[in-house]
Amino acid sequence: MDKKLEKYLKPNLKEARMRKSDIEYKEFILDEKYKSLGEGKKYRIQTYGCQANEADSEIVAGILEKIGFTLAEDEVDADLILLNTCAIRENAENRIWGELGRLKIYKKDKPNLVLGVFGCMPQEERVVEKILDEYPYVSLVYGTHNFYKLPEYIYRLSEGEKRVIEAYSYEGSIIENLPKKREQTHKAWVHITHGCDEFCTYCIVPYTRGKERSRLKDDIIAEVKHLVERGYKEVTLLGQNVNAYGKDLEGDYTFSDLLLDLDKTGIERIRFTTSHPRDFDDKTIEVFRTSKHVMPYVHLPLQSGSNKVLKKMNRGYTKERYLEVIRKLKDARSDISITTDIIVAFPTETEEDFLETLEIVNEVGFEGAYTFIFSPREGTPAFSYENNITEKEAKNRLKRLNDLVNKGYLEGSKKFQDKTVKVLVDGFSKKKDGVLSGYSEHNKLVNFKGDESLIGKIVNVKITKPMTWFLIGEYVK
Ligand code: 5AD
Ligand code: SF4
């Protein structure tokens, strides 16, 4: 290991794979000496990647405000700039390197500005080494397991430590009662599990986010009840594989039990992401028939339509199993909207394998999909798989897939022509004055004219013009 790294607490992807620590459940406690650390100082957080990162940034903002920091309206005014990073694909990482290059300029006028990087990228030793070598002006680096220790790190910097670099290979505990500064006042993220134990061969997440661990059901239910009391209308339950909820806990309380309990809390809308086709059990499918508040929408990553490729990806299901889950979901709720994730050009994927993917996309009628070209991640098994697919061919497959997916988006939108849908209004759309936007029960983005008083409410909107990416409608009083 590089000498420079020795004095820091550094991660190691090989160790991260081992799942050796026991999980403790702890409460967040703020030491007296940290309580006014941020007084008179301003912060900015830039968040990249998935919803788990967005939820984590809300916690980090909550912690910072608890110790006296206030939000800087403009990054020029910030005394602390933190990047919450994503490691899932190479281009996600490249954006961060570019951003760090851009932010360097502020250090000139403000030498005391603290520039920090946290989240998934610092869980990779390669990243920490690169920051040490090439970004000397980045003084704070910490991972996904220890972001609650931020007050201590800021304290150490204020006491004169030049750089604080701390990322653990193994997962820490589950910390409850963390402060949160929620972005919205009507819909909220709620973590139900942390980490992932699936080890899909292409994916870095089980290494960067550690062992799969479920929050206790009473903590989750209490959090949702508290949100209801404060007027929240919607929760999105978060986990890398929500269907595995509870498997690491004692007893036989599983995801479907949690959904049914949350259905009784008074929350209007329940969503969840991400699901795993192997673990999506019949009891959970049944919830779509029986619950009042679970929304008719599922994001169910397919990844590939070829059994050979699925096996090489270690996904743990066949295309037949995937289609069975879809069929059962449609039986339970005929109007259900389904979206997915697909990777093209995974090592060994042939034209025939790819055509099988297109076939399933056609058959299922996805109403949306996130599509990606395979990106080799160092430390994962697929990184060293031989890959003869040229970039040109990979791009060609992505384009053909996207053309088909876009048709699905439009078909999904057209289903709502002349229908009145219920929209939870987020706010004014960025593009046009006087146009509100929000999401329907089927998770369609809906734009319509209306006034400020509707923000945060669930209102009826009649769809007049379905577009590929969103629906246009008229407010129905
Ligand atoms: N390359 C391309 N796509 C990936 N994903 C995860 N890892 C990789 C990778 N190495 C995609 C999967 C996953 C989504 C969040 O990102 O489709 O479902
Ligand atoms: Fe990655 Fe697979 Fe876990 Fe999803 S289920 S986070 S793709 S390892």
Side-chain angles (χ1 to χ4, degrees):
M1 176 60 67
D2 191 318
K3 271 229 149 40
K4 279 173 293 176
L5 263 173
E6 276 169 12
K7 63 178 174 173
Y8 300 113
L9 256 173
K10 56 212 180 274
N12 176 308
L13 289 177
K14 280 205 188 83
E15 264 179 34
R17 199 184 161 90
M18 282 149 63
R19 292 353 201 185
K20 58 183 178 193
S21 58
D22 285 334
I23 300 307
E24 271 181 275
Y25 291 80
K26 290 200 233 167
E27 297 280 307
F28 176 74
I29 299 165
L30 187 62
D31 196 310
E32 270 306 312
K33 70 176 180 229
Y34 304 145
K35 281 193 174 153
S36 52
L37 263 182
E39 245 154 54
K41 292 192 179 146
K42 297 194 165 180
Y43 75 94
R44 295 277 294 183
I45 303 173
Q46 292 176 208
T47 307
Y48 301 82
C50 64
Q51 293 97 333
N53 272 14
E54 285 183 34
D56 288 349
S57 285
E58 292 185 346
I59 295 171
V60 171
I63 293 174
L64 289 172
E65 297 205 356
K66 204 121 207 145
I67 59 174
F69 278 90
T70 53
L71 181 69
E73 291 301 322
D74 199 305
E75 65 182 18
V76 186
D77 303 323
D79 303 284
L80 169 68
I81 299 179
L82 294 174
L83 307 189
N84 187 358
T85 60
C86 170
I88 201 128
R89 281 170 293 275
E90 193 184 356
N91 55 8
E93 291 203 357
N94 286 341
R95 280 176 73 195
I96 300 294
W97 299 126
E99 195 52 17
L100 285 178
R102 187 185 72 80
L103 290 169
K104 185 179 179 186
I105 190 155
Y106 293 122
K107 284 290 276 190
K108 267 198 184 145
D109 295 338
K110 238 190 205 177
N112 288 335
L113 165 74
V114 173
L115 207 53
V117 173
F118 74 104
C120 283
M121 276 172 70
Q123 294 297 138
E124 304 170 280
E125 58 262 48
R126 173 178 56 79
V127 165
V128 177
E129 280 169 38
K130 183 164 167 153
I131 293 175
L132 281 166
D133 281 344
E134 297 172 32
Y135 300 87
Y137 53 93
V138 172
S139 50
L140 178 56
V141 179
Y142 58 103
T144 53
H145 306 314
N146 52 330
F147 60 74
Y148 66 96
K149 286 187 164 181
L150 184 56
E152 177 201 315
Y153 301 149
I154 294 174
Y155 177 77
R156 281 163 53 186
L157 289 171
S158 73
E159 290 288 289
E161 228 174 288
K162 287 245 159 4
R163 302 182 102 177
V164 172
I165 295 182
E166 222 173 278
Y168 313 142
S169 306
Y170 50 89
E171 50 291 329
S173 314
I174 289 195
I175 315 288
E176 290 296 343
N177 275 343
L178 283 157
K180 282 188 193 105
K181 189 195 175 201
R182 301 213 189 249
E183 280 293 316
Q184 312 262 22
T185 52
H186 57 283
K187 62 182 192 187
W189 309 115
V190 176
H191 276 297
I192 63 166
T193 65
H194 299 279
C196 182
D197 278 349
E198 300 310 328
F199 290 100
C200 302
T201 53
Y202 50 81
C203 187
I204 195 77
V205 171
Y207 307 81
T208 61
R209 287 196 167 262
K211 166 157 110 179
E212 191 167 80
R213 49 221 193 270
S214 302
R215 285 179 71 198
L216 300 177
K217 78 176 197 343
D218 290 346
D219 290 326
I220 300 169
I221 294 169
E223 182 172 347
V224 173
K225 281 187 176 161
H226 185 58
L227 289 164
V228 172
E229 279 161 22
R230 288 160 57 205
Y232 278 79
K233 303 279 191 307
E234 180 179 300
V235 291
T236 301
L237 310 177
L238 295 180
Q240 304 300 336
N241 171 5
V242 288
N243 309 92
Y245 174 79
K247 291 193 175 158
D248 55 320
L249 299 175
E250 274 174 28
D252 50 10
Y253 188 90
T254 60
F255 183 53
S256 55
D257 301 308
L258 180 67
L259 286 176
L260 289 174
D261 277 342
L262 294 177
D263 207 41
K264 294 181 232 148
T265 54
I267 194 80
E268 295 273 349
R269 293 175 159 199
I270 302 169
R271 302 187 187 281
F272 52 84
T273 195
T274 285
S275 294
H276 195 296
R278 188 200 56 218
D279 294 338
F280 212 116
D281 60 12
D282 289 351
K283 276 167 74 188
T284 305
I285 293 170
E286 198 51 28
V287 171
F288 283 91
R289 208 189 299 270
T290 54
S291 85
K292 284 206 180 74
H293 303 287
V294 172
M295 291 292 103
Y297 166 72
V298 173
H299 182 70
L300 191 63
L302 166 68
Q303 310 300 4
S304 168
S306 149
N307 284 340
K308 181 199 88 190
V309 174
L310 285 171
K311 194 153 194 232
K312 207 147 173 74
M313 287 176 162
N314 191 31
R315 287 290 288 172
Y317 56 85
T318 58
K319 69 172 175 188
E320 291 76 17
R321 159 71 190 163
Y322 186 91
L323 290 170
E324 183 194 357
V325 176
I326 298 287
R327 184 178 47 72
K328 287 181 174 174
L329 278 166
K330 287 183 177 174
D331 275 354
R333 184 93 209 227
S334 58
D335 64 333
I336 198 160
S337 288
I338 300 163
T339 58
T340 197
D341 289 345
I342 295 169
I343 299 175
V344 300
F346 187 75
T348 77
E349 184 188 75
T350 60
E351 173 67 14
E352 288 69 40
D353 294 320
F354 175 66
L355 289 177
E356 284 190 71
T357 301
L358 293 186
E359 208 176 290
I360 294 208
V361 172
N362 244 333
E363 187 172 339
V364 174
F366 291 116
E367 294 182 22
Y370 297 101
T371 56
F372 314 99
I373 293 176
F374 166 67
S375 168
R377 308 311 294 141
E378 205 174 322
T380 64
F383 182 74
S384 42
Y385 291 172
E386 200 188 339
N387 192 355
N388 300 322
I389 306 165
T390 61
E391 200 184 325
K392 190 169 165 225
E393 178 56 23
K395 283 188 177 157
N396 173 279
R397 287 183 196 169
L398 185 69
K399 172 153 189 337
R400 285 152 70 203
L401 175 61
N402 282 343
D403 287 346
L404 191 60
V405 163
N406 292 347
K407 277 193 202 147
Y409 269 106
L410 186 59
E411 287 305 312
S413 293
K414 280 185 182 164
K415 287 199 319 200
F416 297 95
Q417 173 79 54
D418 298 327
K419 297 240 164 73
T420 298
V421 299
K422 288 194 184 324
V423 178
L424 174 56
V425 186
D426 286 329
F428 285 108
S429 114
K430 281 187 194 112
K431 289 180 202 131
K432 277 195 217 145
D433 275 353
V435 174
L436 290 168
S437 77
Y439 285 85
S440 72
E441 295 191 328
H442 295 81
N443 209 35
K444 305 285 175 196
L445 180 62
V446 180
N447 286 348
F448 64 101
K449 286 213 169 99
D451 65 56
E452 206 173 345
S453 67
L454 302 180
I455 296 173
K457 293 191 179 142
I458 295 176
V459 301
N460 288 323
V461 178
K462 185 171 180 193
I463 302 307
T464 52
K465 202 170 172 193
M467 312 290 282
T468 304
W469 314 112
F470 60 96
L471 310 173
I472 300 174
E474 281 164 8
Y475 173 50
V476 183
K477 280 198 185 115

